[in-house]
Amino acid sequence: MKLIYRQMLGFFAVILTLIVVLGLLFINVTSRMLYTNTWKQLQSYSDSLIEDSMRYDPATKQFEGFTTVPLENNAQLLQRQNVHFTIYSTQSKLIYSSSNYTSNITNSDWKKLKAGKTIHKMMDRPIKPNGSLKPQNSSSNSSRKANSSSSQSRPLMTDVIRPYFYKGKLVAVVSIGSFVSNIQGNLQQIRENLWIAFIVSSIIALILSYVLARSTTRRIDKMRLATHKIIQGNYNVHLELKGHDELNDLSADFNKMTDSLQESQEEIKRQEERRRQFMADAAHEMRTPLTTINGLLEGLAYDAIPEEDKANSIKLMQNDTKRLIRLVNDNLDYEKIRTNQISMSRKVFDASDVLHNLAEQLTKKAATQSDEVKVEVPNTLMTYADYDRFVQVLFNIIQNAIQFTEKGVITISGAKIDKGTEFKVADTGIGMTEDQVKNIWERFYKADRSRMNTKYGESGLGLAIVHQLVELHGGKIDVSSEYGKGTTFTIFFPDREHAQHQSTQEHSDDKN
Ligand SMILES: Nc1ncnc2c1ncn2[C@@H]1O[C@H](COP(=O)(O)OP(=O)(O)OP(=O)(O)O)[C@@H](O)[C@H]1O
Ligand SMILES: [Mg+2]
């Protein structure tokens, strides 16, 4: 069955049940009310009957009996309202009966009456009163008398049977009743009205259930449509959010799902692009040294290289093969760091010495560029890091600074700051534009290919590795640069107590 019909059926059933329950409740309450009102009325008739007809000696205040005349008068009056009564003095003795109908009082009823309880009977098949007195009926009752032979043909009555006491002694029991048909007539009218209300509400319920079901299924349809779009590869779908129901939550989750799908789709594209770029760059980087080596080998093979140049050619080939090895090693290193495959053994050491040593190692290279290298660090600068990796990071950055600076100053500084140690390598070299700065952490990125220092054979892997290493230490690396003016790299290494997360990882690495 389609969801809309199922929903409709659900709503319709609920609304209909509500109407039926309310209807039944209403009929029940109204019929109870009608009966209660009738009983109240009958009770007041009964009270005035006894009041009018009871006789007692004014002197002795003794109960003497009942006067028939007021009873007869009342009987005629009540007859017109279809009310019949019978008065008993005891269970077996009838004092007066206004008609051929009287309530059937059972022995248990008598017990209750003697205990002073008034009995109400909702529907009672009357019997013929038996006793000494003949009913005082008018002619209108003659037709009913004919039917009185069979009790089944007697109309149903609702009765009140009430005991009356005088000085604690039961003196009379009045059974007073009217035809149920009077009440039933009223009830029938109410029932007919309710039927009309029921039919009208059913139609409204049907329309209402359709509207409710439609609004739900329409939202589901929208989701289906969106899902179809996703199947077709279109992740740019967003469902409208309204209300605070489960469908709204589902739509919100759906939107989150499409967002993350779109994101991962873009990430896949980016990664694919990076992979493609890497392959192209790697091939490009390798082609130059390989071409050089190949050319020289051919020259040697065909004896095209003069004897005095042969040594130089072999030196060139050696340089190029070294360059190829470095390229491969750097790439392997990068991948190892990236995939967390390297183990770090961190300790606290004095970085001041390390920086002085590095500056010294690189003086030769600085001299070729006519650069001055300055080290401005405190006498001791305790740093928490993997010693070899720390040297690798600083070496790369200082080397870059020298490489891209001519006749300038390279300042290496370090200081203790909040939660760790900070190092700065500032140069007065060529600098970079904002766009160039954005890309320097990418593998094979070289800001200015025309200014590439072929002597050192840069591959554009240095900073990519540096970045990974600093992150692995839980540190931070930043760069600020101004084109044509110079560049400053700032590297932060956290202290032991602030590098907690990384050290746990480190232990697990060590185990591996
Ligand atoms: N101090 C600097 N001043 C100006 N440009 C720089 C500086 N440091 C890095 N760059 C730019 O960032 C690029 C990437 O640097 P990176 O160290 O990754 O590669 P590389 O030095 O070219 O090659 P490799 O370090 O692998 O030999 C450089 O090619 C250069 O364009
Ligand atoms: Mg470099």
Side-chain angles (χ1 to χ4, degrees):
M1 199 203 267
K2 274 195 120 183
L3 186 65
I4 182 161
Y5 299 132
R6 233 184 300 165
Q7 288 250 325
M8 264 181 80
L9 204 71
F11 288 130
F12 192 62
V14 170
I15 298 170
L16 218 61
T17 314
L18 209 73
I19 293 171
V20 169
V21 168
L22 283 177
L24 289 176
L25 215 69
F26 183 73
I27 290 181
N28 199 297
V29 169
T30 345
S31 89
R32 267 196 173 282
M33 225 165 64
L34 282 173
Y35 276 103
T36 318
N37 284 346
T38 313
W39 289 335
K40 260 192 204 155
Q41 210 174 12
L42 289 173
Q43 210 161 296
S44 71
Y45 288 156
S46 159
D47 290 351
S48 54
L49 270 176
I50 292 298
E51 214 175 279
D52 290 354
S53 60
M54 197 145 85
R55 231 175 340 108
Y56 38 131
D57 187 344
T60 56
K61 296 261 181 224
Q62 279 295 314
F63 171 70
E64 288 184 331
F66 292 94
T67 321
T68 327
V69 182
L71 289 178
E72 277 173 6
N73 290 342
N74 274 317
Q76 271 175 14
L77 269 171
L78 292 174
Q79 193 73 49
R80 281 186 209 123
Q81 293 177 49
N82 273 325
V83 174
H84 312 269
F85 67 90
T86 309
I87 305 177
Y88 298 89
S89 64
T90 56
Q91 185 164 359
S92 53
K93 192 156 183 262
L94 181 140
I95 299 172
Y96 183 86
S97 182
S98 74
S99 75
N100 261 347
Y101 307 113
T102 185
S103 184
N104 185 13
I105 309 172
T106 61
N107 286 342
S108 79
D109 288 344
W110 274 104
K111 266 187 205 154
K112 284 183 199 160
L113 289 166
K114 278 174 190 160
K117 280 184 190 150
T118 302
I119 297 168
H120 300 105
K121 293 199 174 179
M122 207 172 235
M123 268 183 224
D124 190 30
R125 186 73 66 189
I127 55 159
K128 197 174 179 181
N130 51 353
S132 54
L133 278 177
K134 277 267 142 209
Q136 309 288 310
N137 282 328
S138 59
S139 57
S140 64
N141 265 8
S142 56
S143 59
R144 277 182 205 141
K145 274 183 212 162
N147 298 335
S148 64
S149 51
S150 145
S151 73
Q152 280 304 312
S153 61
R154 289 163 185 272
L156 284 169
M157 292 186 57
T158 180
D159 305 301
V160 173
I161 308 162
R162 195 162 159 78
Y164 290 91
F165 295 85
Y166 188 76
K167 292 193 173 169
K169 200 176 154 244
L170 181 73
V171 290
V173 166
V174 178
S175 153
I176 186 163
S178 78
F179 294 119
V180 169
S181 55
N182 293 350
I183 297 173
Q184 290 298 333
N186 289 342
L187 274 177
Q188 190 52 36
Q189 188 91 43
I190 293 169
R191 271 195 209 106
E192 273 164 21
N193 286 345
L194 268 178
W195 262 112
I196 296 168
F198 176 75
I199 292 164
V200 173
S201 349
S202 297
I203 295 167
I204 295 173
L206 202 71
I207 298 168
L208 211 68
S209 63
Y210 175 78
V211 173
L212 282 172
R214 186 80 202 104
S215 83
T216 310
T217 48
R218 194 173 315 165
R219 288 165 74 188
I220 294 174
D221 281 347
K222 275 187 191 162
M223 270 180 222
R224 248 186 69 203
L225 216 76
T227 316
H228 276 294
K229 278 189 189 166
I230 289 176
I231 292 170
Q232 282 154 10
N234 177 7
Y235 300 105
N236 196 13
V237 273
H238 256 257
L239 292 172
E240 192 188 334
L241 300 181
K242 52 180 173 185
H244 296 284
D245 57 4
E246 286 85 347
L247 277 182
N248 189 65
D249 293 347
L250 181 65
S251 302
D253 287 345
F254 187 93
N255 286 345
K256 273 187 212 153
M257 184 191 76
T258 53
D259 283 349
S260 84
L261 271 175
Q262 194 163 13
E263 238 167 68
S264 41
Q265 185 71 12
E266 277 162 15
E267 180 56 30
I268 289 170
K269 269 192 203 152
R270 269 199 300 273
Q271 286 207 358
E272 178 55 27
E273 176 59 26
R274 245 180 273 158
R275 198 192 60 81
R276 202 191 54 74
Q277 186 65 40
F278 171 78
M279 293 305 284
D281 289 341
H284 179 83
E285 290 300 322
M286 289 182 182
R287 195 173 56 189
T288 323
L290 284 173
T291 317
T292 318
I293 295 166
N294 190 43
L296 290 169
L297 282 174
E298 269 180 15
L300 286 173
Y302 294 110
D303 232 354
I305 297 172
E307 203 60 42
E308 62 272 18
D309 285 344
K310 272 187 183 161
N312 196 30
S313 301
I314 289 167
K315 184 111 189 81
L316 271 176
M317 283 198 284
Q318 265 177 341
N319 275 345
D320 276 345
T321 35
K322 267 188 204 151
R323 190 179 163 192
L324 280 173
I325 291 165
R326 194 174 78 103
L327 196 73
V328 171
N329 282 343
D330 278 0
N331 256 311
L332 287 177
D333 208 20
Y334 177 90
E335 278 308 319
K336 267 192 192 164
I337 302 166
R338 196 179 68 85
T339 52
N340 244 339
Q341 282 179 35
I342 61 151
S343 64
M344 290 205 299
S345 67
R346 276 189 281 184
K347 59 178 185 189
V348 179
F349 57 87
D350 186 1
S352 172
D353 292 344
V354 184
L355 295 182
H356 280 109
N357 285 345
L358 277 173
E360 206 165 303
Q361 269 180 49
L362 288 161
T363 23
K364 209 175 133 197
K365 186 174 176 178
T368 59
Q369 298 274 96
S370 320
D371 288 334
E372 185 196 343
V373 180
K374 285 202 258 178
V375 182
E376 292 174 356
V377 280
N379 284 342
T380 51
L381 184 58
M382 301 317 280
T383 305
Y384 179 64
D386 178 303
Y387 185 86
D388 291 334
R389 298 299 179 180
F390 174 82
V391 172
Q392 190 181 354
V393 167
L394 268 297
F395 185 87
N396 259 287
I397 290 169
I398 301 167
Q399 198 185 35
N400 274 350
I402 296 170
Q403 216 165 280
F404 300 104
T405 309
E406 240 176 293
K407 297 191 189 102
V409 184
I410 286 103
T411 317
I412 306 162
S413 59
K416 248 343 300 149
I417 60 158
D418 183 36
K419 294 178 185 169
T421 324
E422 190 179 72
F423 299 91
K424 281 185 193 287
V425 177
D427 65 55
T428 54
I430 59 170
M432 285 175 279
T433 62
E434 244 172 71
D435 270 354
Q436 290 172 337
V437 167
K438 269 186 213 152
N439 294 306
I440 52 169
W441 314 114
E442 293 283 329
R443 269 198 283 187
F444 296 112
Y445 179 78
K446 284 162 244 173
D448 191 350
R449 279 168 193 270
S450 61
R451 300 192 69 160
M452 208 173 89
N453 190 335
T454 41
K455 190 169 161 205
Y456 292 99
E458 301 99 49
S459 57
L461 281 165
L463 283 181
I465 293 171
V466 162
H467 191 249
Q468 297 277 8
L469 282 175
V470 174
E471 283 210 329
L472 206 64
H473 277 84
K476 251 185 104 179
I477 179 159
D478 279 317
V479 60
S480 68
S481 187
E482 209 175 320
Y483 189 71
K485 292 231 168 114
T487 309
T488 304
F489 279 88
T490 311
I491 314 118
F492 168 76
F493 287 95
D495 283 340
R496 188 198 291 268
E497 54 272 28
H498 299 294
Q500 215 53 47
H501 169 68
Q502 275 71 24
S503 62
T504 16
Q505 194 176 334
E506 199 175 307
H507 285 308
S508 60
D509 281 349
D510 288 349
K511 270 180 223 148
N512 292 339

